Amino acid sequence: LGTLSAIATDGVHLFTPSNENGRIVLSQISISTGASQALPLPSQIGIPEVEDISPDGTQLLLRSNLAAASQQPLWIVPIDGGSAFRVSDVMAQSATWMPDARNILYASGNQLSVVSLDNGRSTTLASVPGPAFWPRWSPDGKLLRFTIIDTVNHTSSLWQLAKGQSIAHQMLKTWGGAALECCGAWTADGKYFVFQATRDRSTDLWKIGASLDSHPVRITNGPLNF
């Protein structure tokens, strides 16, 4: 599936992998000036993939891409230069912080699970119809939205799981055309979920409300792919 890294922000910086003289590093980029610097990482973290930033904006959740396998270790890296540590012994293809900031939700195959940062124990949250990526909780912690990738049919679709439930529901089922939606994130006020979708061979950004019956609204309109 290749690299599936996200971009995180604490409101002051952007955090993203970047290529520095042929080596992939974790860059901290100033939003105001554009100045960039590489954050130090333990040697156990190969190619860093950003999964999320903690609710208080002080710690990054990374996936260490060391091999071709889709499931890789998770690490927490303080942005102030503190010591990084591995998240228990879980292996995941994607992950995000839980709203309580004491647990991590992670996807491994077709399973969504939650691991405690206090004792390292994992519990299964839900089984879903395919490999899940880019899980994101709404700011109020009531809705989880994520992408399922179908590698056989080469499609990707958005799904939603309500807090306290174990059955996920596909979003945009009646939108028409092949399912090619992915990679969403909530706005800070929780009013919209912003995602990318390919329509008529053009990839743009769209927004949709919290309700499953909301209709997508296009944000960008090419000609570049977003």
Side-chain angles (χ1 to χ4, degrees):
L1 290 174
T3 180
L4 300 174
S5 185
I7 297 175
T9 181
D10 61 358
V12 180
H13 304 95
L14 298 178
F15 300 93
T16 181
S18 63
N19 191 318
E20 186 177 277
N21 299 321
R23 184 171 65 96
I24 303 299
V25 300
L26 177 62
S27 290
Q28 172 182 282
I29 304 168
S30 170
I31 292 175
S32 59
T33 68
S36 176
Q37 67 177 28
L39 294 180
L41 296 175
S43 59
Q44 297 96 319
I45 299 179
I47 298 176
E49 294 187 0
V50 176
E51 295 294 334
D52 197 10
I53 192 167
S54 60
D56 64 3
T58 64
Q59 300 179 99
L60 291 170
L61 178 61
L62 303 184
R63 200 169 70 94
S64 173
N65 197 346
L66 285 171
S70 57
Q71 278 82 40
Q72 298 287 345
L74 297 174
W75 287 76
I76 289 178
V77 177
I79 64 175
D80 64 0
S83 298
F85 62 93
R86 185 174 169 182
V87 180
S88 188
D89 60 352
V90 303
M91 303 290 282
Q93 72 236 9
S94 196
T96 190
W97 245 278
M98 292 289 284
D100 62 8
R102 294 306 312 158
N103 298 274
I104 299 293
L105 180 142
Y106 67 96
S108 182
N110 292 22
Q111 297 286 326
L112 295 177
S113 302
V114 177
V115 58
S116 168
L117 294 179
D118 294 326
N119 57 34
R121 295 175 184 167
S122 291
T123 56
T124 300
L125 182 68
S127 296
V128 295
F133 296 88
W134 298 284
R136 289 293 181 268
W137 285 103
S138 58
D140 62 9
K142 293 182 178 180
L143 293 174
L144 176 73
R145 287 181 174 173
F146 55 93
T147 300
I148 287 182
I149 294 180
D150 185 335
T151 56
V152 176
N153 297 311
H154 304 289
T155 61
S156 56
S157 53
L158 297 178
W159 290 70
Q160 176 173 296
L161 180 68
K163 179 183 178 181
Q165 297 185 1
S166 59
I167 303 297
H169 300 280
Q170 185 177 350
M171 302 169 58
L172 307 176
K173 288 180 68 175
T174 62
W175 202 19
L180 291 171
E181 305 91 36
C182 76
C183 331
W186 292 90
T187 55
D189 60 6
K191 187 176 181 180
Y192 295 109
F193 186 75
V194 179
F195 62 97
Q196 74 178 54
T198 302
R199 315 283 292 177
D200 300 323
R201 293 182 293 182
S202 177
T203 302
D204 285 292
L205 300 181
W206 297 70
K207 66 178 181 179
I208 192 171
S211 172
L212 274 178
D213 59 7
S214 299
H215 190 73
V217 175
R218 188 194 299 264
I219 300 174
T220 63
N221 191 17
L224 297 176
N225 285 329
F226 287 83

